[in-house]
Amino acid sequence: MIMALAAETKTLLETLGCIVDGGDLAVHSPIDGSRIGAVVTATVDDIDDAVAQSQAAFLNWRSVPAPRRGELVRLFGNALRAQKYDLARLVTIDCGKPLSEGLGEVQEMIDICDFAVGLSRQLHGLTIASERPGHRMMEQWHPIGPVLIISAFNFPVAVWAWNAALALVCGNSVIWKPSEKTPLTAAAVQAIFEKAIAAFGDAPAHLSQVIQGERDTGAALVADPRIALISATGSTEMGRKVGQVAAARFAKTILELGGNNAAIISDKADVALALRGLLFSAFGTSGQRCTSLRRLFVHDAIYDSFVGALKSATGSMSVGDPLDGNNLAGPLIDEQAFAGMRAALDEARKIGGNVTGGERLAMDGVYVRPALVEMAAHDGPVLRETFAPILYIFRYHDLAKAIALQNSVGAGLSSSIFSTDIRECELFMSAEGSDCGIANVNIGTSGAEIGGAFGGEKETGGGRESGSDAWKAYMRRATNTINYSDNLPLAQGVTFDIG
């Protein structure tokens, strides 16, 4: 397997048009822990040059008509279609998610390209009534400048695409700082994008760049005053640091951070539907999604039967090589992730948690059984996000109290309720209900579509990416007042007569 993975990675990269000849940052596949390549990390001078080149590209690109900018994204989407399988397989090797999920991630890139192409002909402002005769007010949106995209290992290509597709049609240049854990997929995507650039014909040089490196590289980019917008996906701890540095220089940010997501299973739920929805939400990507289900509130009346069925279904889940389509879950990203999982389970046991599963499997790589933890108290490790397949389970009787517990944690990303009672569902989605950026009914917490704005509240950062009107974050707003009369009245009836 070790030699086979390294050889396949090299072949995939070459097929995707990317030659990686080695470097100082070694890359290991979580599938078996083997080394599959290395990339060159950026120096301080490299970073400075890249930002200067991005600024120059922006000054050119902002003047290109938006529909023409959309044509570049259309070509990129087509290039992704042509190499979807190869890129998806590389995603699986690089981050360890099952191949089905890798294919879904590349499809998400294609979908956001389609969305952005349509958006390029719909970027719009407003006409606003003026209180002054012979005047008109309007609002316009203009390109903002170089956009820095910091992505995480768990979605090594899709999150970049969410940001880059919109940033490009909005008239901006982009710099990508991928996770140091998954740098090969970033290099491959850049190679595919360069094919689209070549087909486009007249895009400015350095419109999109990849800067490889570790945390210090990201920190240098965040601090650069030439970067107009920072879109950062990662932990709440990382987001706090990014936010503070950006705020010190008044840069705009889109922060998509941690999630401690919950679902409520009503006694009026379609139990079979709920069970299927929960399994993917909790254990898809081995619990390593920001939208992964972490906490489950089950009504007293169905608790014993539902949790029993959940234990049975979880115990039968196939965990193993993510390139094998028979497996529903692959490995954790690394040993650090397992250490965090083990520590959380130990802490839960100390406060009375009853743990089912969670064992490490005897395989190369970090493979674990999903863990179900029945808790008496909403406390301890329950209150924070552990990036691993752990689901904490609670009884509830009163829906309002369950919602209050759901909302009592720091993060506010995703949530869901399973119920066939419209009153319960509407309450959950109301101002008195979930305080999350995503509040679903009869589906799980993960697997969002690109048409809606994606993001959350509180310690999740408040940023929005992808669909709806998220495009406005990649632009600057200008309000214009036009006087087409011969007079110069002042607003609010102010007089300033100079005779």
Side-chain angles (χ1 to χ4, degrees), residues 19-247:
I19 305 300
V20 178
D21 292 326
D24 54 305
L25 178 62
V27 185
H28 296 83
S29 173
I31 292 178
D32 60 6
S34 64
R35 177 171 169 144
I36 54 173
V39 298
V40 177
T41 58
T43 65
V44 172
D45 287 341
D46 292 336
I47 294 169
D48 184 67
D49 289 346
V51 178
Q53 292 163 349
S54 188
Q55 176 68 11
F58 163 70
L59 295 177
N60 179 302
W61 190 241
R62 67 181 178 179
S63 300
V64 175
R68 175 68 178 151
R69 300 192 298 247
E71 172 63 9
L72 172 58
V73 176
R74 186 188 70 82
L75 292 168
F76 178 52
N78 286 344
L80 289 169
R81 283 181 172 88
Q83 296 194 288
K84 176 180 175 179
Y85 182 81
D86 290 331
L87 180 57
R89 198 165 176 92
L90 183 63
V91 166
T92 292
I93 292 171
D94 211 17
C95 79
K97 64 175 54 177
L99 183 56
S100 171
E101 294 186 36
L103 288 163
E105 180 163 355
V106 180
Q107 184 60 49
E108 200 164 4
M109 299 176 76
I110 295 166
D111 291 345
I112 196 63
C113 286
D114 289 348
F115 179 91
V117 173
L119 177 65
S120 71
R121 293 184 179 272
Q122 299 180 63
L123 299 173
H124 59 83
L126 290 174
T127 298
I128 305 166
S130 172
E131 68 185 64
R132 289 171 281 187
H135 287 61
R136 178 172 65 86
M137 294 177 65
M138 70 178 188
E139 182 177 276
Q140 297 187 81
W141 294 86
H142 297 301
I144 191 172
V147 175
L148 170 62
I149 303 167
I150 300 174
S151 60
F153 76 85
N154 58 335
F155 278 83
V157 293
V159 170
W160 172 82
W162 285 1
N163 287 275
L166 298 192
L168 288 165
V169 299
C170 288
N172 305 307
S173 54
V174 295
I175 295 177
W176 184 5
K177 163 56 180 77
S179 169
E180 60 271 24
K181 297 179 181 182
T182 52
L184 296 180
T185 43
V189 169
Q190 179 65 18
I192 297 171
F193 185 78
E194 287 172 1
K195 294 177 187 177
I197 287 278
F200 183 78
D202 59 352
H206 311 295
L207 183 59
S208 171
Q209 300 176 80
V210 174
I211 304 298
Q212 304 280 14
E214 300 194 52
R215 292 186 179 186
D216 56 339
T217 301
L221 287 164
V222 167
D224 196 301
R226 295 167 291 183
I227 298 292
L229 171 66
I230 302 156
S231 178
T233 300
S235 68
T236 296
E237 177 187 6
M238 179 273 285
R240 282 199 177 98
K241 294 176 181 177
V242 169
Q244 289 168 2
V245 174

Side-chain angles (χ1 to χ4, degrees), residues 261-265 277-278 280-281 291-293 403 406 413-419 424-430 433-449 452-455:
N261 314 296
I264 296 172
I265 311 299
L278 296 181
F280 176 72
S281 290
T291 53
S292 289
L293 181 63
I403 292 173
Q406 175 204 280
L413 178 52
S414 189
S415 59
S416 70
I417 186 170
F418 284 84
S419 176
E424 291 186 333
C425 297
E426 289 291 344
L427 174 64
F428 182 77
M429 293 185 292
S430 76
S434 172
D435 66 357
C436 295
I438 300 169
N440 293 332
V441 173
N442 292 326
I443 65 169
T445 56
S446 62
E449 299 179 35
F454 181 90

